[in-house]
C-alpha cells in the first residue's frame, strides 16, 4: 500500500512555488501578495492563519494579516474587502471562516472580487469551475486532486465516489474529477447504501466529519482513498476513513494527520500565485 505523504507533497509544491515567485519577481518586479482577514480570537482560526502567513512568507509571497475583534461591524469588513479589491499590491484575499454570527458569510464571499478570491468560494468561481473554465478552486479539494494525480496521472474513465456534498469539499472535488473524465458519484447523508456505492469506486474521497465512517469492507481492492476528515476524538485525531482496515485493501491512502491537511495551505499559496499571474495577463 502506498501511504500518500501529504507533508512531502506539500513541501515539494512549496519548493516549486518558491522558484516560480523568483521568476515572477524578475519578470514583473513585484511579488504576489496575500491579504488575510481574521476576525475574533478563536484558537483554531488563529493557528490556521499563523500557518498560512508563515508558509506564504516561506515561498516569498508578500502577506499581511488584518485582525479585527469579533464585535467588528459587518460594514467595516465589507469596506476593507472593497479597499483590498482595488489595491494592486494584493493578489489574493481570504477571510478566515467561521465568522461571528452577525456577519453574513455569503455577503463577505461575494464582496471579494472573483479574480482575488483565493478560496474559490465566489459564485463566479464556482460557476467557472463547473463550466470547465479557468477559476480559483477551493484549496482542500485542489490538494486532494493533486495527490490523486501523483498516484494515477491518467484518470480517464475511473469511477470516483465522493462522500460528502459540501460546497467546501465534496462539490468542487466532483467537478475536478469530472474534468479528468472520471465517472463521479456524489454521496451524502441521505444516500441509501453508502457501502455499496463505495465498493464500486476506483477512487474514494471522504469529506464528511464522521470518524472512521469508511470501513475496510467498503473499499475495493486497489482503490485510491483520500481522507479529508479531521475529527478530534478521545482516541486522538481521526479521519473519516478507518485507516487500519482500509490500508489492508487500498492501493494508496492518505493518513490523518499528514495527508490532505498540509496540501491545503500549499494550494492556497498556489491559488495566490495563479491569481497574480492572471492579473498580469
Ligand atoms: P460539512 O459538514 O460541510 O459537510 C459534510 C458532508 O457530509 C455533508 O454533505 C453531509 O451530507 C455528508 N454526510 C454527513 N453524514 C453522512 C453520512 N452518514 N454518510 C454520508 N455522508 C454524510 O463538512 P466539510 O466542511 O466538507 O468537512 C468535512 C470534514 O473535512 C470535516 O471533518 C472537516 O474537519 C474536514 N476538513 C478538512 C480539511 C483539511 O484541510 N484536511 C479542510 C476542510 C475540512
Amino acid at each position: 500500500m502506498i501511504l500518500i505523504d501529504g507533508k512531502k507533497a506539500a513541501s515539494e509544491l512549496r519548493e516549486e512555488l518558491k522558484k516560480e515567485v523568483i521568476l515572477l519577481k524578475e519578470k514583473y518586479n513585484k511579488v504576489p501578495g496575500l491579504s488575510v482577514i481574521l476576525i475574533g480570537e478563536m484558537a483554531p482560526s488563529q493557528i490556521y492563519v499563523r500557518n498560512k502567513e508563515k508558509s506564504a512568507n516561506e515561498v516569498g509571497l508578500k502577506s499581511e494579516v488584518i485582525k479585527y475583534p469579533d464585535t467588528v461591524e459587518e460594514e467595516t469588513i465589507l469596506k476593507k474587502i472593497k479597499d483590498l479589491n482595488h489595491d494592486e499590491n494584493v493578489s489574493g484575499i481570504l477571510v478566515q471562516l467561521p465568522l461571528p454570527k452577525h456577519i453574513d458569510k455569503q455577503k463577505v464571499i461575494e464582496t471579494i472580487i472573483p479574480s482575488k478570491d483565493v478560496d474559490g468560494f465566489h459564485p463566479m468561481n464556482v460557476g467557472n469551475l463547473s463550466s470547465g473554465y479557468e477559476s480559483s478552486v477551493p484549496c482542500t479539494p485542489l490538494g486532494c486532486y493533486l495527490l490523486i494525480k501523483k498516484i494515477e496521472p491518467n484518470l480517464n474513465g475511473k469511477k470516483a465516489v465522493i462522500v460528502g456534498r459540501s460546497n467546501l469539499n465534496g462539490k468542487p472535488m466532483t467537478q475536478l474529477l469530472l474534468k479528468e473524465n472520471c465517472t463521479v458519484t456524489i454521496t451524502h447523508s441521505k444516500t441509501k447504501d453508502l457501502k455499496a456505492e463505495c465498493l464500486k469506486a476506483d477512487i474514494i474521497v471522504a469529506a464528511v466529519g464522521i470518524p472512521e465512517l469508511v470501513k475496510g469492507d467498503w473499499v475495493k481492492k486497489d482503490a485510491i482513498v483520500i481522507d479529508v476528515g479531521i475529527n478530534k476524538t478521545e482516541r486522538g485525531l481521526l479521519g473519516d476513513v478507518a485507516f487500519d482496515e482500509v490500508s489492508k485493501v487500498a492501493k494508496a491512502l492518505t493518513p490523518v494527520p499528514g495527508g490532505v491537511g498540509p496540501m491545503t495551505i500549499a494550494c492556497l499559496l498556489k491559488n495566490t500565485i495563479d491569481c497574480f499571474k492572471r492579473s498580469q495577463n
Side-chain angles (χ1 to χ4, degrees):
M1 203 267 314
I2 303 168
L3 184 66
I4 304 174
D5 188 342
K7 266 193 191 162
K8 183 162 171 264
S11 159
E12 287 167 1
L13 178 56
R14 283 197 305 273
E15 276 311 308
E16 278 173 33
L17 297 175
K18 209 172 177 174
K19 289 180 193 147
E20 199 171 0
V21 171
I22 292 170
L23 293 177
L24 290 171
K25 194 175 176 186
E26 279 170 9
K27 187 166 177 191
Y28 298 107
N29 202 25
K30 58 180 178 176
V31 294
L34 173 65
S35 292
V36 178
I37 295 178
L38 174 62
I39 304 167
E41 303 282 328
M42 271 178 51
S45 294
Q46 303 260 351
I47 296 167
Y48 291 144
V49 167
R50 208 177 308 135
N51 289 340
K52 285 169 185 175
E53 191 182 23
K54 188 168 156 262
S55 301
N57 291 333
E58 256 172 43
V59 303
L61 302 184
K62 204 157 44 122
S63 78
E64 62 169 348
V65 178
I66 305 156
K67 293 185 181 173
Y68 292 97
D70 56 14
T71 50
V72 66
E73 301 272 342
E74 181 182 274
E75 206 38 55
T76 307
I77 299 300
L78 299 182
K79 163 85 173 55
K80 185 68 197 172
I81 294 172
K82 286 175 192 161
D83 290 346
L84 295 171
N85 283 343
H86 291 110
D87 185 338
E88 58 178 43
N89 291 313
V90 175
S91 326
I93 303 166
L94 180 152
V95 180
Q96 182 64 44
L97 302 177
L99 300 174
K101 281 203 178 71
H102 67 280
I103 298 180
D104 183 338
K105 180 175 100 177
Q106 200 54 26
K107 219 188 244 179
V108 165
I109 288 173
E110 290 182 21
T111 302
I112 299 173
I113 190 171
S115 58
K116 296 190 180 186
D117 166 35
V118 281
D119 260 336
F121 295 160
H122 192 287
M124 181 88 90
N125 281 318
V126 175
N128 278 340
L129 176 65
S130 70
S131 305
Y133 300 136
E134 198 169 49
S135 67
S136 283
V137 177
C139 304
T140 302
L142 179 58
C144 295
Y145 165 79
L146 295 175
L147 292 176
I148 295 168
K149 288 282 281 183
K150 264 184 188 284
I151 302 294
E152 186 63 69
N154 182 3
L155 298 175
N156 238 338
K158 298 280 180 202
K159 166 95 180 149
V161 171
I162 314 298
V163 190
R165 59 174 160 185
S166 69
N167 291 339
L168 180 67
N169 290 308
K171 286 181 193 159
M173 193 69 238
T174 301
Q175 298 301 343
L176 286 168
L177 292 176
L178 266 180
K179 246 175 145 176
E180 290 289 322
N181 300 322
C182 288
T183 302
V184 189
T185 301
I186 184 157
T187 64
H188 46 78
S189 56
K190 303 288 186 290
T191 295
K192 282 270 161 35
D193 189 348
L194 189 55
K195 176 180 173 181
E197 294 300 336
C198 287
L199 270 170
K200 295 177 203 156
D202 302 309
I203 300 162
I204 297 176
V205 180
V208 187
I210 300 180
E212 302 189 324
L213 175 73
V214 177
K215 308 283 185 283
D217 62 355
W218 292 25
V219 176
K220 195 166 84 172
K221 194 174 169 317
D222 287 339
I224 298 172
V225 182
I226 305 292
D227 190 350
V228 180
I230 302 177
N231 306 292
K232 278 191 188 144
T233 74
E234 285 170 356
R235 288 190 287 134
L237 214 56
L238 293 178
D240 291 343
V241 174
F243 184 90
D244 291 344
E245 293 178 16
V246 173
S247 61
K248 293 191 179 102
V249 276
K251 168 175 159 186
L253 171 63
T254 55
V256 175
V260 172
M263 282 300 277
T264 297
I265 293 186
C267 286
L268 169 68
L269 310 178
K270 176 175 163 42
N271 279 349
T272 306
I273 293 168
D274 288 346
C275 284
F276 174 85
K277 288 196 294 195
R278 286 196 286 269
S279 74
Q280 301 302 314
N281 290 333

